[in-house]
Amino acid sequence: MMVVMGILEKIIHIFIPRSSNNHKAKLLHSSSLLVIASLLVVWQGILTFLPSIGPNILGYAAQISPDEIIRFTNEKRTSAGLSALTLNTTLSSAAYTKGRDMIERDYWAHVAPDGTQPWKFFSDAGYRYRYAGENLARDFTNPTSTVNAWMDSPTHRENILNSKYKEIGIGVIEGDLAGVDTTIVVQFFGTGYSDVVTQPLAVNNIETVEKVESITTIVPSNLSPSSPEPSPSIVPIVVSSSPIPTIKAVFTQPQPTQRVLISPFTTTKSISLGVVGILLAVFLVDSLIVSKRKIARIGGRTFAHMAFLGMILSIVIILKSGQIL
């Protein structure tokens, strides 16, 4: 019984203003706010640096299914009165190759550091396009938030709702980008020439996690229907019109290494919102009690402390949220 009473006293001391805490909830004291902010910074540091210690220590979990990306994209198109896009596995191969190129060469942009344009990946995969477009995203935890982020950006939305596109390919790639374990989603749009025939290919889903950056473009090809077929050099999935027998290539996105998987963005956001909610509740209770009891506090700066902590939490959330370019 004494133990229970002691715990109850501690809880009251932390959350309710009284003489033992100078008539201000202990949780709202400067020292407590500093401890909370420090713990959040330490937690963010663990999420950022622990994966670099060993590949099996910590990883990122995301439920990014290429099929779901396509389904949500087509839902947006049909809602706008447009026809649904058809999955083209050559485009998926090209999109995956573009994502791998960003991971391996450590860049996050539509154009590679050496000036390589995204359209080269279309041609290298054997996709002869009349129109082509690209959207990029990184560190989203699910397909819905990924597509919604694109739709919230006018340029990306224009790509998704462009009537000139007939086909789509999705690549989901997980790897180290700038020292951080990252999930990249590459969305390729295209309209090819009618004489190009592609073989179906298996594209496996990858479980990977949330930061986003995307860019969109529409580029007409300088190829003509009579132009020779580009010589595929990266994972080609093309059937030649030549009578020579062809080999069907099957493109499979590799599964990530087995390890402890979490979603750093979702975890940080949930913890931050939880802390803010608790502090706001304590702040309201504290204000009501102080007002009702007409307690005069000298040097009380609760509002300034709340604003300071709110700023820190906002920065943490913004840094880990998706980015649209």
Side-chain angles (χ1 to χ4, degrees), residues 108-110 135-136 153 155-156 212-216 323-325:
W108 173 237
H110 284 289
N135 281 349
L136 300 178
S153 166
T155 53
H156 299 82
V212 167
E213 183 173 313
S214 29
I215 309 172
T216 63
Q323 299 177 1
I324 299 293
L325 296 181

Side-chain angles (χ1 to χ4, degrees), residues 50-100:
L50 194 56
S52 62
I53 298 176
N56 295 320
I57 294 179
L58 185 65
Y60 291 85
Q63 292 74 45
I64 304 293
S65 162
D67 290 339
E68 288 296 289
I69 292 286
I70 294 172
R71 184 171 72 84
F72 287 127
T73 298
N74 280 331
E75 283 183 0
K76 303 299 183 183
R77 287 178 62 88
T78 54
S79 296
L82 299 171
S83 60
L85 298 171
T86 303
L87 170 64
N88 183 293
T89 51
T90 301
L91 279 182
S92 289
S93 172
Y96 182 80
T97 303
K98 168 60 183 292
R100 288 299 332 156

Side-chain angles (χ1 to χ4, degrees), residues 9-42:
E9 282 292 321
K10 285 286 186 182
I11 293 175
I12 294 175
H13 177 76
I14 292 173
F15 295 103
I16 304 297
R18 54 188 300 189
S19 58
S20 66
N21 52 32
N22 197 26
H23 298 288
K24 179 194 290 185
K26 179 62 177 176
L27 195 64
L28 300 180
H29 285 205
S30 299
S31 57
S32 299
L33 295 175
L34 182 60
V35 169
I36 292 172
S38 300
L39 289 175
L40 287 173
V41 171
V42 170

Side-chain angles (χ1 to χ4, degrees), residues 162-224:
N162 196 291
S163 60
K164 293 181 179 179
Y165 296 139
K166 304 300 180 186
E167 298 174 315
I168 187 173
I170 302 294
V172 179
I173 306 92
E174 191 272 346
D176 183 288
L177 186 65
V180 178
D181 206 357
T182 302
T183 295
I184 294 176
V185 180
V186 179
Q187 185 180 48
F188 274 178
F189 302 94
T191 298
Y193 290 110
S194 58
D195 61 342
V196 176
V197 180
T198 58
Q199 284 281 20
L201 101 128
V203 181
N204 294 341
N205 300 338
I206 293 184
E207 290 191 357
T208 40
V209 181
E210 245 162 281
K211 179 180 174 184
V212 167
E213 183 173 313
S214 29
I215 309 172
T216 63
T217 326
I218 304 171
V219 175
S221 171
N222 57 3
L223 297 175
S224 65

